[in-house]
Amino acid sequence: MFEAGIETSYLTLEYGMAELMNNRHILKKLQEEVRSQGKKLDMITEEDLGSMAYLRATIKETLRLHPPAPFLLPHFSTTDCKIDGYLIPSNTRVLVNAWALGRDPSSWERPEDFLPERFLQDQDGDVDTQMRGKDLRFLPFGFGRRICPGMNFGFATMEVMLANLMYHFDWDVPNMVGTGAGVDMAESFGLTLRRKEKLQLVPRIP
Ligand code: HEM
């Protein structure tokens, strides 16, 4: 439970920060949203998140490109079924490649680009319908009866953390302060998807 709850959230946050360092115009836009909403606050809390649509879109876009559980959890087929002409016999272990679904060029325009705008139309509810396993192109929390039970909590935690990182600090890459340099995005695959190198950044008080 701790592993499922903590590691997934911090890996997403780490990837989100890395993408923002490589897409400074998005970092700036996100900071503008958070700082304009968060005027005069000491901390951004859950109550302040309602109007931060770009923040939500940025986290979803991070989850699309870097789902922390790239193959979800192993499932078993309970009956024989046919998918795309392939027979999956009953009692077969099935892994769903959420990472590949999120980058499928037949589903996404410019699939390799980090573009939070693609999620901006989608504003309903707390954690929207799209992420509840209703859109099979985008399954960072899985789907069906075994969908992640920590989805709402995990998403809200990431929103609060990222909003505060944006609100309180400007960010740079060590030894490259002020140059706008980016970070390496090499990945290491396993049960969880993580960066090959730990992300190191320099916070600055604006
Ligand atoms: C970024 C945040 C998170 C992501 C992306 C995530 C993703 C996932 C995924 C993909 C699964 C497997 C679903 C499937 O195979 O269909 C899962 C299961 C699970 N998650 Fe999360 N999770 C996150 C946060 C959390 C949090 C915060 C908690 C608890 C506080 C949690 C608890 C669990 C548990 C207990 C399961 C197993 C559910 C079952 O097998 O019935 N997760 N999660």
Side-chain angles (χ1 to χ4, degrees):
M1 179 65 116
F2 278 120
E3 177 94 358
I6 296 170
E7 197 173 7
T8 45
S9 307
Y10 103 71
L11 289 174
T12 307
L13 198 62
E14 190 185 28
Y15 263 118
M17 287 300 290
E19 287 288 3
L20 290 170
M21 295 314 292
N22 288 349
N23 295 277
R24 299 291 177 109
H25 59 293
I26 296 175
L27 174 79
K28 191 162 174 274
K29 196 167 165 186
L30 182 57
Q31 278 179 325
E32 277 166 10
E33 177 181 87
V34 172
R35 288 178 184 177
S36 69
Q37 305 290 335
K39 262 182 225 144
K40 301 195 185 84
L41 296 172
D42 287 339
M43 284 291 271
I44 309 274
T45 64
E46 210 178 327
E47 287 81 65
D48 311 310
L49 299 174
S51 45
M52 298 189 190
Y54 201 66
L55 174 73
R56 296 174 61 77
T58 303
I59 296 173
K60 286 182 210 162
E61 181 66 342
T62 306
L63 286 166
R64 179 184 72 81
L65 282 171
H66 311 286
F71 297 106
L72 310 183
L73 288 179
H75 290 250
F76 277 93
S77 54
T78 48
T79 55
D80 290 357
C81 58
K82 255 194 170 171
I83 299 179
D84 238 3
Y86 293 95
L87 173 68
I88 316 286
S90 98
N91 212 27
T92 303
R93 175 178 288 196
V94 180
L95 294 176
V96 175
N97 191 340
W99 182 90
L101 289 173
R103 291 172 185 247
D104 184 351
S106 63
S107 298
W108 302 96
E109 251 176 63
R110 297 170 59 192
E112 299 293 330
D113 292 346
F114 187 74
L115 298 171
E117 281 73 10
R118 69 174 92 238
F119 286 110
L120 271 185
Q121 316 83 311
D122 170 40
Q123 308 254 347
D124 50 335
D126 37 11
V127 175
D128 60 86
T129 47
Q130 209 179 17
M131 266 193 314
R132 295 185 181 279
K134 297 281 190 294
D135 180 345
L136 296 180
R137 301 172 310 153
F138 183 50
L139 299 173
F141 294 97
F143 60 103
R145 276 188 300 174
R146 304 302 291 272
I147 194 168
C148 174
M151 176 170 58
N152 287 319
F153 174 69
F155 199 89
T157 309
M158 292 186 294
E159 283 181 289
V160 171
M161 289 192 293
L162 186 58
N164 279 294
L165 292 177
M166 293 296 110
Y167 185 58
H168 291 289
F169 304 106
D170 287 335
W171 294 92
D172 268 304
V173 178
N175 305 323
M176 302 279 185
V177 174
T179 64
V183 296
D184 183 44
M185 293 301 281
E187 297 172 313
S188 155
F189 273 92
L191 193 59
T192 50
L193 173 68
R194 47 185 69 237
R195 293 173 47 77
K196 236 182 191 146
E197 284 179 15
K198 284 252 170 269
L199 182 66
Q200 293 191 4
L201 297 177
V202 182
R204 278 187 295 115
I205 295 175

PDB file of all heavy atoms in Angstrom, residues 70-104:
ATOM      1  N   PRO A  70       3.924   1.224 -15.804  1.00  0.00           N
ATOM      2  CA  PRO A  70       3.748   1.180 -17.269  1.00  0.00           C
ATOM      3  C   PRO A  70       2.956  -0.029 -17.759  1.00  0.00           C
ATOM      4  O   PRO A  70       2.317   0.041 -18.794  1.00  0.00           O
ATOM      5  CB  PRO A  70       5.188   1.142 -17.792  1.00  0.00           C
ATOM      6  CG  PRO A  70       6.040   0.711 -16.652  1.00  0.00           C
ATOM      7  CD  PRO A  70       5.336   1.161 -15.406  1.00  0.00           C
ATOM      8  N   PHE A  71       2.985  -1.135 -17.001  1.00  0.00           N
ATOM      9  CA  PHE A  71       2.201  -2.318 -17.397  1.00  0.00           C
ATOM     10  C   PHE A  71       1.037  -2.576 -16.437  1.00  0.00           C
ATOM     11  O   PHE A  71       0.550  -3.698 -16.340  1.00  0.00           O
ATOM     12  CB  PHE A  71       3.104  -3.559 -17.450  1.00  0.00           C
ATOM     13  CG  PHE A  71       4.196  -3.435 -18.485  1.00  0.00           C
ATOM     14  CD1 PHE A  71       5.502  -3.207 -18.113  1.00  0.00           C
ATOM     15  CD2 PHE A  71       3.883  -3.525 -19.826  1.00  0.00           C
ATOM     16  CE1 PHE A  71       6.503  -3.067 -19.068  1.00  0.00           C
ATOM     17  CE2 PHE A  71       4.879  -3.389 -20.800  1.00  0.00           C
ATOM     18  CZ  PHE A  71       6.192  -3.158 -20.412  1.00  0.00           C
ATOM     19  N   LEU A  72       0.607  -1.553 -15.729  1.00  0.00           N
ATOM     20  CA  LEU A  72      -0.427  -1.683 -14.683  1.00  0.00           C
ATOM     21  C   LEU A  72      -0.004  -2.807 -13.732  1.00  0.00           C
ATOM     22  O   LEU A  72       1.181  -2.989 -13.487  1.00  0.00           O
ATOM     23  CB  LEU A  72      -1.803  -1.947 -15.303  1.00  0.00           C
ATOM     24  CG  LEU A  72      -2.225  -1.001 -16.443  1.00  0.00           C
ATOM     25  CD1 LEU A  72      -3.634  -1.329 -16.908  1.00  0.00           C
ATOM     26  CD2 LEU A  72      -2.120   0.454 -16.049  1.00  0.00           C
ATOM     27  N   LEU A  73      -0.966  -3.561 -13.202  1.00  0.00           N
ATOM     28  CA  LEU A  73      -0.627  -4.764 -12.436  1.00  0.00           C
ATOM     29  C   LEU A  73      -1.044  -5.964 -13.293  1.00  0.00           C
ATOM     30  O   LEU A  73      -1.966  -5.843 -14.104  1.00  0.00           O
ATOM     31  CB  LEU A  73      -1.379  -4.791 -11.103  1.00  0.00           C
ATOM     32  CG  LEU A  73      -0.910  -3.785 -10.054  1.00  0.00           C
ATOM     33  CD1 LEU A  73      -1.755  -3.896  -8.788  1.00  0.00           C
ATOM     34  CD2 LEU A  73       0.574  -3.968  -9.723  1.00  0.00           C
ATOM     35  N   PRO A  74      -0.421  -7.133 -13.146  1.00  0.00           N
ATOM     36  CA  PRO A  74      -0.827  -8.277 -13.969  1.00  0.00           C
ATOM     37  C   PRO A  74      -2.291  -8.646 -13.721  1.00  0.00           C
ATOM     38  O   PRO A  74      -2.756  -8.618 -12.584  1.00  0.00           O
ATOM     39  CB  PRO A  74       0.093  -9.401 -13.491  1.00  0.00           C
ATOM     40  CG  PRO A  74       1.232  -8.715 -12.819  1.00  0.00           C
ATOM     41  CD  PRO A  74       0.685  -7.440 -12.249  1.00  0.00           C
ATOM     42  N   HIS A  75      -3.026  -8.911 -14.818  1.00  0.00           N
ATOM     43  CA  HIS A  75      -4.413  -9.376 -14.724  1.00  0.00           C
ATOM     44  C   HIS A  75      -4.474 -10.789 -15.292  1.00  0.00           C
ATOM     45  O   HIS A  75      -3.590 -11.196 -16.037  1.00  0.00           O
ATOM     46  CB  HIS A  75      -5.335  -8.470 -15.541  1.00  0.00           C
ATOM     47  CG  HIS A  75      -5.506  -7.100 -14.939  1.00  0.00           C
ATOM     48  ND1 HIS A  75      -6.685  -6.684 -14.373  1.00  0.00           N
ATOM     49  CD2 HIS A  75      -4.639  -6.063 -14.800  1.00  0.00           C
ATOM     50  CE1 HIS A  75      -6.538  -5.453 -13.912  1.00  0.00           C
ATOM     51  NE2 HIS A  75      -5.306  -5.051 -14.163  1.00  0.00           N
ATOM     52  N   PHE A  76      -5.548 -11.527 -14.969  1.00  0.00           N
ATOM     53  CA  PHE A  76      -5.767 -12.844 -15.565  1.00  0.00           C
ATOM     54  C   PHE A  76      -7.087 -12.842 -16.317  1.00  0.00           C
ATOM     55  O   PHE A  76      -8.081 -12.293 -15.829  1.00  0.00           O
ATOM     56  CB  PHE A  76      -5.804 -13.930 -14.477  1.00  0.00           C
ATOM     57  CG  PHE A  76      -4.438 -14.387 -14.086  1.00  0.00           C
ATOM     58  CD1 PHE A  76      -3.774 -13.817 -13.024  1.00  0.00           C
ATOM     59  CD2 PHE A  76      -3.803 -15.414 -14.791  1.00  0.00           C
ATOM     60  CE1 PHE A  76      -2.500 -14.217 -12.673  1.00  0.00           C
ATOM     61  CE2 PHE A  76      -2.534 -15.831 -14.442  1.00  0.00           C
ATOM     62  CZ  PHE A  76      -1.874 -15.229 -13.379  1.00  0.00           C
ATOM     63  N   SER A  77      -7.118 -13.449 -17.515  1.00  0.00           N
ATOM     64  CA  SER A  77      -8.395 -13.562 -18.238  1.00  0.00           C
ATOM     65  C   SER A  77      -9.228 -14.641 -17.546  1.00  0.00           C
ATOM     66  O   SER A  77      -8.708 -15.706 -17.194  1.00  0.00           O
ATOM     67  CB  SER A  77      -8.148 -13.938 -19.695  1.00  0.00           C
ATOM     68  OG  SER A  77      -7.353 -15.106 -19.751  1.00  0.00           O
ATOM     69  N   THR A  78     -10.518 -14.371 -17.329  1.00  0.00           N
ATOM     70  CA  THR A  78     -11.369 -15.346 -16.635  1.00  0.00           C
ATOM     71  C   THR A  78     -12.066 -16.281 -17.623  1.00  0.00           C
ATOM     72  O   THR A  78     -12.500 -17.372 -17.249  1.00  0.00           O
ATOM     73  CB  THR A  78     -12.432 -14.635 -15.765  1.00  0.00           C
ATOM     74  OG1 THR A  78     -13.051 -13.633 -16.572  1.00  0.00           O
ATOM     75  CG2 THR A  78     -11.797 -13.981 -14.559  1.00  0.00           C
ATOM     76  N   THR A  79     -12.198 -15.843 -18.904  1.00  0.00           N
ATOM     77  CA  THR A  79     -12.762 -16.721 -19.945  1.00  0.00           C
ATOM     78  C   THR A  79     -11.927 -16.552 -21.215  1.00  0.00           C
ATOM     79  O   THR A  79     -11.145 -15.603 -21.313  1.00  0.00           O
ATOM     80  CB  THR A  79     -14.216 -16.320 -20.305  1.00  0.00           C
ATOM     81  OG1 THR A  79     -14.193 -14.937 -20.664  1.00  0.00           O
ATOM     82  CG2 THR A  79     -15.173 -16.539 -19.159  1.00  0.00           C
ATOM     83  N   ASP A  80     -12.147 -17.467 -22.185  1.00  0.00           N
ATOM     84  CA  ASP A  80     -11.502 -17.280 -23.490  1.00  0.00           C
ATOM     85  C   ASP A  80     -12.035 -15.995 -24.116  1.00  0.00           C
ATOM     86  O   ASP A  80     -13.228 -15.702 -23.992  1.00  0.00           O
ATOM     87  CB  ASP A  80     -11.881 -18.419 -24.456  1.00  0.00           C
ATOM     88  CG  ASP A  80     -11.247 -19.736 -24.036  1.00  0.00           C
ATOM     89  OD1 ASP A  80     -10.486 -19.742 -23.044  1.00  0.00           O
ATOM     90  OD2 ASP A  80     -11.529 -20.758 -24.691  1.00  0.00           O
ATOM     91  N   CYS A  81     -11.157 -15.214 -24.742  1.00  0.00           N
ATOM     92  CA  CYS A  81     -11.680 -14.056 -25.475  1.00  0.00           C
ATOM     93  C   CYS A  81     -10.776 -13.765 -26.668  1.00  0.00           C
ATOM     94  O   CYS A  81      -9.635 -14.224 -26.724  1.00  0.00           O
ATOM     95  CB  CYS A  81     -11.812 -12.842 -24.565  1.00  0.00           C
ATOM     96  SG  CYS A  81     -10.291 -12.357 -23.796  1.00  0.00           S
ATOM     97  N   LYS A  82     -11.342 -13.018 -27.641  1.00  0.00           N
ATOM     98  CA  LYS A  82     -10.584 -12.678 -28.851  1.00  0.00           C
ATOM     99  C   LYS A  82     -10.364 -11.179 -28.874  1.00  0.00           C
ATOM    100  O   LYS A  82     -11.304 -10.406 -28.732  1.00  0.00           O
ATOM    101  CB  LYS A  82     -11.372 -13.094 -30.089  1.00  0.00           C
ATOM    102  CG  LYS A  82     -10.811 -14.326 -30.734  1.00  0.00           C
ATOM    103  CD  LYS A  82     -11.356 -14.558 -32.119  1.00  0.00           C
ATOM    104  CE  LYS A  82     -10.528 -15.675 -32.719  1.00  0.00           C
ATOM    105  NZ  LYS A  82     -11.025 -16.171 -33.959  1.00  0.00           N
ATOM    106  N   ILE A  83      -9.114 -10.760 -29.036  1.00  0.00           N
ATOM    107  CA  ILE A  83      -8.829  -9.337 -29.151  1.00  0.00           C
ATOM    108  C   ILE A  83      -8.030  -9.136 -30.431  1.00  0.00           C
ATOM    109  O   ILE A  83      -6.952  -9.739 -30.582  1.00  0.00           O
ATOM    110  CB  ILE A  83      -8.028  -8.815 -27.937  1.00  0.00           C
ATOM    111  CG1 ILE A  83      -8.829  -9.008 -26.659  1.00  0.00           C
ATOM    112  CG2 ILE A  83      -7.651  -7.350 -28.121  1.00  0.00           C
ATOM    113  CD1 ILE A  83      -8.134  -8.562 -25.400  1.00  0.00           C
ATOM    114  N   ASP A  84      -8.603  -8.341 -31.348  1.00  0.00           N
ATOM    115  CA  ASP A  84      -7.902  -8.044 -32.604  1.00  0.00           C
ATOM    116  C   ASP A  84      -7.494  -9.317 -33.346  1.00  0.00           C
ATOM    117  O   ASP A  84      -6.402  -9.409 -33.904  1.00  0.00           O
ATOM    118  CB  ASP A  84      -6.633  -7.227 -32.292  1.00  0.00           C
ATOM    119  CG  ASP A  84      -6.650  -5.904 -33.013  1.00  0.00           C
ATOM    120  OD1 ASP A  84      -7.651  -5.624 -33.678  1.00  0.00           O
ATOM    121  OD2 ASP A  84      -5.647  -5.178 -32.897  1.00  0.00           O
ATOM    122  N   GLY A  85      -8.337 -10.350 -33.276  1.00  0.00           N
ATOM    123  CA  GLY A  85      -8.045 -11.597 -33.975  1.00  0.00           C
ATOM    124  C   GLY A  85      -7.179 -12.574 -33.182  1.00  0.00           C
ATOM    125  O   GLY A  85      -6.981 -13.719 -33.590  1.00  0.00           O
ATOM    126  N   TYR A  86      -6.630 -12.138 -32.050  1.00  0.00           N
ATOM    127  CA  TYR A  86      -5.804 -13.031 -31.235  1.00  0.00           C
ATOM    128  C   TYR A  86      -6.659 -13.688 -30.158  1.00  0.00           C
ATOM    129  O   TYR A  86      -7.424 -13.010 -29.468  1.00  0.00           O
ATOM    130  CB  TYR A  86      -4.676 -12.252 -30.539  1.00  0.00           C
ATOM    131  CG  TYR A  86      -3.650 -11.706 -31.490  1.00  0.00           C
ATOM    132  CD1 TYR A  86      -3.740 -10.404 -31.961  1.00  0.00           C
ATOM    133  CD2 TYR A  86      -2.584 -12.498 -31.924  1.00  0.00           C
ATOM    134  CE1 TYR A  86      -2.808  -9.890 -32.841  1.00  0.00           C
ATOM    135  CE2 TYR A  86      -1.638 -11.998 -32.807  1.00  0.00           C
ATOM    136  CZ  TYR A  86      -1.759 -10.689 -33.262  1.00  0.00           C
ATOM    137  OH  TYR A  86      -0.832 -10.189 -34.141  1.00  0.00           O
ATOM    138  N   LEU A  87      -6.495 -15.013 -30.017  1.00  0.00           N
ATOM    139  CA  LEU A  87      -7.243 -15.716 -28.963  1.00  0.00           C
ATOM    140  C   LEU A  87      -6.462 -15.618 -27.652  1.00  0.00           C
ATOM    141  O   LEU A  87      -5.279 -15.960 -27.577  1.00  0.00           O
ATOM    142  CB  LEU A  87      -7.422 -17.193 -29.342  1.00  0.00           C
ATOM    143  CG  LEU A  87      -8.044 -18.048 -28.235  1.00  0.00           C
ATOM    144  CD1 LEU A  87      -9.503 -17.658 -27.986  1.00  0.00           C
ATOM    145  CD2 LEU A  87      -7.941 -19.537 -28.570  1.00  0.00           C
ATOM    146  N   ILE A  88      -7.124 -15.119 -26.619  1.00  0.00           N
ATOM    147  CA  ILE A  88      -6.520 -15.111 -25.272  1.00  0.00           C
ATOM    148  C   ILE A  88      -7.267 -16.188 -24.481  1.00  0.00           C
ATOM    149  O   ILE A  88      -8.425 -15.992 -24.100  1.00  0.00           O
ATOM    150  CB  ILE A  88      -6.707 -13.754 -24.549  1.00  0.00           C
ATOM    151  CG1 ILE A  88      -6.428 -12.564 -25.475  1.00  0.00           C
ATOM    152  CG2 ILE A  88      -5.892 -13.688 -23.269  1.00  0.00           C
ATOM    153  CD1 ILE A  88      -4.993 -12.297 -25.789  1.00  0.00           C
ATOM    154  N   PRO A  89      -6.633 -17.349 -24.243  1.00  0.00           N
ATOM    155  CA  PRO A  89      -7.341 -18.406 -23.508  1.00  0.00           C
ATOM    156  C   PRO A  89      -7.614 -17.974 -22.077  1.00  0.00           C
ATOM    157  O   PRO A  89      -6.945 -17.076 -21.556  1.00  0.00           O
ATOM    158  CB  PRO A  89      -6.353 -19.586 -23.528  1.00  0.00           C
ATOM    159  CG  PRO A  89      -5.272 -19.216 -24.470  1.00  0.00           C
ATOM    160  CD  PRO A  89      -5.253 -17.722 -24.575  1.00  0.00           C
ATOM    161  N   SER A  90      -8.582 -18.625 -21.462  1.00  0.00           N
ATOM    162  CA  SER A  90      -8.897 -18.269 -20.074  1.00  0.00           C
ATOM    163  C   SER A  90      -7.676 -18.563 -19.187  1.00  0.00           C
ATOM    164  O   SER A  90      -6.828 -19.387 -19.513  1.00  0.00           O
ATOM    165  CB  SER A  90     -10.140 -19.029 -19.633  1.00  0.00           C
ATOM    166  OG  SER A  90      -9.790 -20.147 -18.914  1.00  0.00           O
ATOM    167  N   ASN A  91      -7.586 -17.854 -18.090  1.00  0.00           N
ATOM    168  CA  ASN A  91      -6.503 -18.025 -17.120  1.00  0.00           C
ATOM    169  C   ASN A  91      -5.115 -17.675 -17.668  1.00  0.00           C
ATOM    170  O   ASN A  91      -4.115 -18.270 -17.273  1.00  0.00           O
ATOM    171  CB  ASN A  91      -6.511 -19.462 -16.577  1.00  0.00           C
ATOM    172  CG  ASN A  91      -6.020 -19.484 -15.148  1.00  0.00           C
ATOM    173  OD1 ASN A  91      -6.164 -18.483 -14.427  1.00  0.00           O
ATOM    174  ND2 ASN A  91      -5.428 -20.582 -14.731  1.00  0.00           N
ATOM    175  N   THR A  92      -5.085 -16.714 -18.606  1.00  0.00           N
ATOM    176  CA  THR A  92      -3.795 -16.235 -19.135  1.00  0.00           C
ATOM    177  C   THR A  92      -3.408 -14.962 -18.398  1.00  0.00           C
ATOM    178  O   THR A  92      -4.257 -14.112 -18.141  1.00  0.00           O
ATOM    179  CB  THR A  92      -3.931 -15.892 -20.645  1.00  0.00           C
ATOM    180  OG1 THR A  92      -4.397 -17.045 -21.318  1.00  0.00           O
ATOM    181  CG2 THR A  92      -2.620 -15.420 -21.239  1.00  0.00           C
ATOM    182  N   ARG A  93      -2.136 -14.846 -18.064  1.00  0.00           N
ATOM    183  CA  ARG A  93      -1.688 -13.593 -17.441  1.00  0.00           C
ATOM    184  C   ARG A  93      -1.608 -12.506 -18.522  1.00  0.00           C
ATOM    185  O   ARG A  93      -0.973 -12.704 -19.556  1.00  0.00           O
ATOM    186  CB  ARG A  93      -0.318 -13.783 -16.809  1.00  0.00           C
ATOM    187  CG  ARG A  93       0.239 -12.487 -16.266  1.00  0.00           C
ATOM    188  CD  ARG A  93       1.549 -12.685 -15.607  1.00  0.00           C
ATOM    189  NE  ARG A  93       1.378 -13.390 -14.338  1.00  0.00           N
ATOM    190  CZ  ARG A  93       2.321 -13.430 -13.403  1.00  0.00           C
ATOM    191  NH1 ARG A  93       3.474 -12.867 -13.603  1.00  0.00           N
ATOM    192  NH2 ARG A  93       2.110 -14.068 -12.282  1.00  0.00           N
ATOM    193  N   VAL A  94      -2.262 -11.391 -18.278  1.00  0.00           N
ATOM    194  CA  VAL A  94      -2.322 -10.321 -19.286  1.00  0.00           C
ATOM    195  C   VAL A  94      -1.673  -9.059 -18.716  1.00  0.00           C
ATOM    196  O   VAL A  94      -2.001  -8.627 -17.614  1.00  0.00           O
ATOM    197  CB  VAL A  94      -3.794  -9.992 -19.649  1.00  0.00           C
ATOM    198  CG1 VAL A  94      -3.866  -8.886 -20.682  1.00  0.00           C
ATOM    199  CG2 VAL A  94      -4.513 -11.234 -20.152  1.00  0.00           C
ATOM    200  N   LEU A  95      -0.734  -8.508 -19.480  1.00  0.00           N
ATOM    201  CA  LEU A  95      -0.145  -7.223 -19.096  1.00  0.00           C
ATOM    202  C   LEU A  95      -0.620  -6.164 -20.091  1.00  0.00           C
ATOM    203  O   LEU A  95      -0.551  -6.389 -21.297  1.00  0.00           O
ATOM    204  CB  LEU A  95       1.383  -7.292 -19.129  1.00  0.00           C
ATOM    205  CG  LEU A  95       2.049  -8.211 -18.111  1.00  0.00           C
ATOM    206  CD1 LEU A  95       3.562  -8.241 -18.339  1.00  0.00           C
ATOM    207  CD2 LEU A  95       1.758  -7.752 -16.691  1.00  0.00           C
ATOM    208  N   VAL A  96      -1.104  -5.057 -19.584  1.00  0.00           N
ATOM    209  CA  VAL A  96      -1.566  -3.973 -20.465  1.00  0.00           C
ATOM    210  C   VAL A  96      -0.468  -2.915 -20.510  1.00  0.00           C
ATOM    211  O   VAL A  96      -0.038  -2.423 -19.469  1.00  0.00           O
ATOM    212  CB  VAL A  96      -2.872  -3.348 -19.906  1.00  0.00           C
ATOM    213  CG1 VAL A  96      -3.294  -2.148 -20.736  1.00  0.00           C
ATOM    214  CG2 VAL A  96      -3.974  -4.395 -19.860  1.00  0.00           C
ATOM    215  N   ASN A  97      -0.016  -2.596 -21.720  1.00  0.00           N
ATOM    216  CA  ASN A  97       1.090  -1.641 -21.851  1.00  0.00           C
ATOM    217  C   ASN A  97       0.552  -0.202 -21.924  1.00  0.00           C
ATOM    218  O   ASN A  97       0.329   0.355 -22.997  1.00  0.00           O
ATOM    219  CB  ASN A  97       1.918  -1.994 -23.094  1.00  0.00           C
ATOM    220  CG  ASN A  97       3.219  -1.216 -23.145  1.00  0.00           C
ATOM    221  OD1 ASN A  97       3.361  -0.186 -22.501  1.00  0.00           O
ATOM    222  ND2 ASN A  97       4.175  -1.717 -23.922  1.00  0.00           N
ATOM    223  N   ALA A  98       0.318   0.370 -20.737  1.00  0.00           N
ATOM    224  CA  ALA A  98      -0.241   1.728 -20.668  1.00  0.00           C
ATOM    225  C   ALA A  98       0.740   2.755 -21.236  1.00  0.00           C
ATOM    226  O   ALA A  98       0.343   3.776 -21.785  1.00  0.00           O
ATOM    227  CB  ALA A  98      -0.581   2.069 -19.223  1.00  0.00           C
ATOM    228  N   TRP A  99       2.021   2.481 -21.105  1.00  0.00           N
ATOM    229  CA  TRP A  99       3.055   3.378 -21.633  1.00  0.00           C
ATOM    230  C   TRP A  99       2.911   3.496 -23.154  1.00  0.00           C
ATOM    231  O   TRP A  99       2.895   4.591 -23.710  1.00  0.00           O
ATOM    232  CB  TRP A  99       4.424   2.825 -21.260  1.00  0.00           C
ATOM    233  CG  TRP A  99       5.587   3.649 -21.695  1.00  0.00           C
ATOM    234  CD1 TRP A  99       6.202   4.648 -20.988  1.00  0.00           C
ATOM    235  CD2 TRP A  99       6.301   3.569 -22.951  1.00  0.00           C
ATOM    236  NE1 TRP A  99       7.235   5.187 -21.713  1.00  0.00           N
ATOM    237  CE2 TRP A  99       7.322   4.541 -22.917  1.00  0.00           C
ATOM    238  CE3 TRP A  99       6.170   2.768 -24.071  1.00  0.00           C
ATOM    239  CZ2 TRP A  99       8.206   4.731 -23.966  1.00  0.00           C
ATOM    240  CZ3 TRP A  99       7.057   2.964 -25.135  1.00  0.00           C
ATOM    241  CH2 TRP A  99       8.059   3.928 -25.068  1.00  0.00           C
ATOM    242  N   ALA A 100       2.773   2.332 -23.846  1.00  0.00           N
ATOM    243  CA  ALA A 100       2.659   2.343 -25.305  1.00  0.00           C
ATOM    244  C   ALA A 100       1.326   2.967 -25.746  1.00  0.00           C
ATOM    245  O   ALA A 100       1.277   3.696 -26.735  1.00  0.00           O
ATOM    246  CB  ALA A 100       2.793   0.923 -25.851  1.00  0.00           C
ATOM    247  N   LEU A 101       0.257   2.709 -24.999  1.00  0.00           N
ATOM    248  CA  LEU A 101      -1.046   3.299 -25.341  1.00  0.00           C
ATOM    249  C   LEU A 101      -0.966   4.827 -25.313  1.00  0.00           C
ATOM    250  O   LEU A 101      -1.530   5.504 -26.167  1.00  0.00           O
ATOM    251  CB  LEU A 101      -2.129   2.833 -24.352  1.00  0.00           C
ATOM    252  CG  LEU A 101      -2.563   1.368 -24.448  1.00  0.00           C
ATOM    253  CD1 LEU A 101      -3.513   1.028 -23.307  1.00  0.00           C
ATOM    254  CD2 LEU A 101      -3.225   1.084 -25.786  1.00  0.00           C
ATOM    255  N   GLY A 102      -0.256   5.341 -24.334  1.00  0.00           N
ATOM    256  CA  GLY A 102      -0.136   6.792 -24.178  1.00  0.00           C
ATOM    257  C   GLY A 102       0.686   7.444 -25.282  1.00  0.00           C
ATOM    258  O   GLY A 102       0.651   8.657 -25.439  1.00  0.00           O
ATOM    259  N   ARG A 103       1.457   6.644 -26.021  1.00  0.00           N
ATOM    260  CA  ARG A 103       2.321   7.215 -27.075  1.00  0.00           C
ATOM    261  C   ARG A 103       1.931   6.719 -28.463  1.00  0.00           C
ATOM    262  O   ARG A 103       2.692   6.884 -29.420  1.00  0.00           O
ATOM    263  CB  ARG A 103       3.781   6.814 -26.805  1.00  0.00           C
ATOM    264  CG  ARG A 103       4.345   7.490 -25.585  1.00  0.00           C
ATOM    265  CD  ARG A 103       5.696   6.946 -25.219  1.00  0.00           C
ATOM    266  NE  ARG A 103       6.166   7.533 -23.988  1.00  0.00           N
ATOM    267  CZ  ARG A 103       7.216   8.355 -23.894  1.00  0.00           C
ATOM    268  NH1 ARG A 103       7.913   8.646 -24.950  1.00  0.00           N
ATOM    269  NH2 ARG A 103       7.556   8.854 -22.731  1.00  0.00           N
ATOM    270  N   ASP A 104       0.760   6.103 -28.573  1.00  0.00           N
ATOM    271  CA  ASP A 104       0.351   5.510 -29.845  1.00  0.00           C
ATOM    272  C   ASP A 104       0.015   6.612 -30.860  1.00  0.00           C
ATOM    273  O   ASP A 104      -0.932   7.378 -30.651  1.00  0.00           O
ATOM    274  CB  ASP A 104      -0.883   4.623 -29.596  1.00  0.00           C
ATOM    275  CG  ASP A 104      -1.316   3.898 -30.847  1.00  0.00           C
ATOM    276  OD1 ASP A 104      -0.783   4.197 -31.931  1.00  0.00           O
ATOM    277  OD2 ASP A 104      -2.202   3.033 -30.729  1.00  0.00           O
TER     278      ASP A 104
END
